[in-house]
Amino acid sequence: MSEPKIVDARGSFCPGPLMELIAAMKEVDVGDEVEVLSTDEGSANDVPEWLDKVGHELVENFQEDGVYHIRARKAK
Amino acid sequence: MKKILIVGGGMGGTILANNLARRLRKELDNGDVKLTMLSASDQHMYQPGLLYVAFGKVMPDELYRDQASLLEPGIEFHVDPVASFNLDGNQVATASGKTYDYDYIAIATGSQAKPDNIPGLMENCNHVYTEEAALKTWEALSSFEGGKVAVVTGVPHKCPMVPLEVTFMMHDYFQERGLLDKVQLHYTYPIGRLHSLVNVGKWAQKEFDRLGITYETLFNMKEVDGDKKQVHSEEGTTVDYDLLIGIPPHKGMETIEDNELGTSGWIPTDRATLNVEGHENAFVLGDTTNLPISKAGSTAHYEAEVVGENLAAMVKKGRRVRDYDGKVFCFIEAGKDRATFASFNYTTPPDPQPPTETVHWFKLAYNKLYWNSVRGLL
Ligand SMILES: Cc1cc2nc3c(=O)[nH]c(=O)nc-3n(C[C@H](O)[C@H](O)[C@H](O)COP(=O)(O)OP(=O)(O)OC[C@H]3O[C@@H](n4cnc5c(N)ncnc54)[C@H](O)[C@@H]3O)c2cc1C
């Protein structure tokens, strides 16, 4: 499996980690993974909600040293 | 002699060039430093003014100045866009076939709207991101006699406030024309609230409810069907429209992509030093960075000040002085005569206050003061 594309959205208030992820998802191929790093608490909920609505897969979602790591796989 | 090369004569490049010329006046005058700017146009456009062009409030010719007239003496300026970058060899080649070498380079080539990236968007939407499009939008808005106006937003886009501003301004515009009861304004947004800034989103939601503007969140454009006048979302929903206002997705410039400096034309940038990743003598600023912050003029402005201060110190004393803290300041027009603002950085979120007429007038004043700001006087 290839390494996930990392979207470093730490300290992002605008355009926001989810916006960054949406943009990154457009650039990768189906089956590829994207990992968002975010310090924004809201993203831990926003990102899974969006993935669910669009139908991409949430691979993992954990917090370490104040940074959320949310990894997703492009499904379509 | 130290050679500094600035690529791009827009907001970021111009503020940086003037900032450096002031800090390095003595070195420029006695030939210890050479400051060169390469740009793609001999004109400088105040892009935020396009929003007002779309409502017929500003004519496009008011938005232009000769680029050379904005630059401090001693800055060598050429209209000769860079065609290829050789960051390892400290050299660029230009469209005219010349090469320029440098000790330091700053890249500020900006970004461009790509409505053609979404099927059907280009042919069917009105937008405000070029002079031609803003004029067409003015024509569309002024000849509109009622129906459903949908606002759709792509990611990433330039200036995070434009989707809200254009919606609020349309509300007041149609009200002024006595048409509001025949118009349904419908706003969509890619994420689960009305704006990516939580506080701005909350504030906007209250305003929309008060003004009767309807909305759908988690709406990412997939394609536009111009025959049926429908926009389909990635999430599987559909919005009908009679008039479509689009905030198209953006990309960095082709030159950046063609030279493989960064995916989609966004150059990987160190968030604190603003170095092109892996190149200590190369800097990026403005829309061209891949930083997860607003693609806005104020971002370019604050970044230019940091790069200017650091480069001047490096030339004079061989070391840099400070980091960029992610600072951004955005005005938000909340109608035709009210505005608020959001100010934030990497660690402190914004807290927008209720809009006032004073802030709106300040924004209008800034539209004029811009020419002093870009000269580095403000
Ligand atoms: C409708 C609209 C509303 C906006 N509202 C606001 C607002 O309210 N507040 C705010 O802060 N920002 C706003 N912005 C955003 C702001 O205008 C941009 O973020 C800002 O101009 C970015 O500055 P920049 O220096 O990165 O790029 P630009 O100002 O776009 O400059 C890029 C420069 O690079 C040159 N160039 C391009 N390719 C080459 C090349 N290959 N070689 C050499 N030169 C090249 C171009 O000729 C240009 O001079 C708005 C933008 C628009 C379009």
Side-chain angles (χ1 to χ4, degrees):
Chain A
M1 190 189 70
S2 61
E3 284 294 299
K5 179 186 169 76
I6 303 287
V7 174
D8 186 352
R10 284 174 299 152
S12 165
F13 294 108
C14 198
L18 177 52
M19 296 274 239
E20 295 290 325
L21 172 70
I22 292 172
M25 277 297 207
K26 293 203 165 144
E27 283 165 10
V28 301
D29 296 325
V30 172
D32 284 353
E33 294 187 357
V34 178
E35 181 167 333
V36 189
L37 309 183
S38 166
T39 43
D40 170 39
E41 206 184 320
S43 324
N45 301 321
D46 282 2
V47 172
E49 185 191 348
W50 179 75
L51 292 171
D52 190 42
K53 186 156 179 195
V54 186
H56 296 312
E57 192 183 331
L58 177 67
V59 181
E60 58 182 0
N61 183 2
F62 63 92
Q63 196 191 10
E64 195 176 76
D65 299 331
V67 178
Y68 293 92
H69 295 247
I70 309 161
R71 195 196 283 208
R73 185 177 299 128
K74 181 163 170 161
K76 55 178 199 187
Chain B
M1 196 217 301
K2 291 275 181 233
K3 290 186 195 163
I4 304 176
L5 184 64
I6 297 175
V7 183
M11 266 200 199
T14 308
I15 294 173
L16 173 62
N18 287 327
N19 184 304
L20 276 171
R22 285 212 172 74
R23 288 177 194 275
L24 298 171
R25 171 53 51 212
K26 211 171 82 226
E27 289 79 0
L28 274 175
D29 288 346
N30 63 24
D32 288 340
V33 165
K34 186 169 166 168
L35 194 49
T36 307
M37 170 181 277
L38 300 174
S39 195
S41 164
D42 66 346
Q43 295 293 299
H44 187 118
M45 183 181 32
Y46 177 58
Q47 296 171 25
L50 289 172
L51 185 59
Y52 303 85
V53 170
F55 289 88
K57 304 238 181 246
V58 166
M59 294 298 123
D61 59 346
E62 296 168 54
L63 303 178
Y64 290 95
R65 296 282 187 279
D66 278 337
Q67 174 63 9
S69 75
L70 300 172
L71 297 174
E72 285 278 311
I75 300 170
E76 199 181 294
F77 172 60
H78 302 286
V79 180
D80 192 6
V82 170
S84 71
F85 291 85
N86 172 3
L87 295 186
D88 292 325
N90 294 341
Q91 219 176 43
V92 303
T94 61
S96 75
K98 292 204 183 93
T99 53
Y100 289 80
D101 54 2
Y102 59 81
D103 296 288
Y104 300 103
I105 189 172
I107 305 172
T109 43
S111 64
Q112 51 181 333
K114 298 294 283 180
D116 43 329
N117 277 11
I118 309 259
L121 186 65
M122 175 114 137
E123 304 82 319
N124 297 299
C125 89
N126 291 283
H127 72 87
V128 299
Y129 283 93
T130 61
E131 176 182 332
E132 197 194 349
L135 283 171
K136 214 179 124 236
T137 302
W138 177 31
E139 206 180 293
L141 288 176
S142 54
S143 56
F144 192 62
E145 290 306 331
K148 183 167 176 180
V149 185
V151 179
V152 287
T153 294
V155 285
H157 61 268
K158 182 147 51 175
C159 196
M161 301 307 172
V162 168
L164 284 178
E165 288 184 300
V166 82
T167 309
F168 284 126
M169 285 170 80
M170 281 196 293
H171 175 274
D172 285 12
Y173 175 82
F174 290 128
Q175 189 170 49
E176 228 170 27
R177 282 187 51 207
L179 204 67
L180 198 55
D181 55 349
K182 295 203 192 96
V183 173
Q184 187 202 346
L185 283 173
H186 187 70
Y187 174 95
T188 69
Y189 203 62
I191 63 171
R193 51 182 178 266
L194 297 188
H195 194 263
S196 58
L197 299 172
V198 177
N199 290 340
V200 174
K202 279 187 193 151
W203 163 79
Q205 188 165 356
K206 268 197 226 132
E207 288 292 292
F208 278 11
D209 290 342
R210 186 174 71 83
L211 300 172
I213 300 170
T214 54
Y215 43 82
E216 176 175 342
T217 57
L218 287 168
F219 187 95
N220 283 276
M221 285 180 264
K222 187 172 179 193
E223 59 181 324
V224 181
D225 181 338
D227 294 335
K228 292 204 180 118
K229 297 199 163 199
Q230 286 182 326
V231 187
H232 301 289
S233 77
E234 299 274 358
E235 290 81 4
T237 56
T238 297
V239 160
D240 299 310
Y241 67 84
D242 295 300
L243 177 67
L244 184 65
I245 303 290
I247 316 296
H250 271 67
K251 265 187 152 189
M253 304 311 273
E254 269 111 23
T255 324
I256 304 295
E257 264 195 299
D258 295 347
N259 282 277
E260 296 181 1
L261 289 181
T263 316
S264 294
W266 314 121
I267 301 181
T269 307
D270 184 289
R271 56 175 55 221
T273 63
L274 301 174
N275 277 113
V276 176
E277 274 178 11
H279 295 273
E280 291 223 326
N281 65 339
F283 299 85
V284 207
L285 57 152
D287 291 350
T288 315
T289 76
N290 75 338
L291 296 177
I293 49 176
S294 315
K295 306 238 172 274
S298 76
T299 312
H301 189 148
Y302 293 120
E303 289 173 344
E305 286 180 353
V306 172
V307 175
E309 227 173 292
N310 284 339
L311 263 180
M314 281 160 85
V315 167
K316 289 184 201 219
K317 296 285 173 227
R319 50 199 297 255
R320 21 178 254 108
V321 259
R322 71 167 166 120
D323 284 350
Y324 175 59
D325 66 356
K327 174 133 199 224
V328 181
F329 176 98
C330 289
F331 283 109
I332 314 168
E333 289 283 23
K336 70 176 176 7
D337 53 13
R338 290 161 358 111
T340 181
F341 63 88
S343 175
F344 48 101
N345 63 21
Y346 288 141
T347 50
T348 316
D351 183 20
Q353 301 301 308
T356 64
E357 206 173 328
T358 316
V359 179
H360 167 71
W361 286 111
F362 197 80
K363 165 84 201 225
L364 292 190
Y366 181 81
N367 288 345
K368 305 281 178 208
L369 286 172
Y370 172 72
W371 302 110
N372 286 326
S373 162
V374 84
R375 285 185 178 99
L377 301 175
L378 202 75

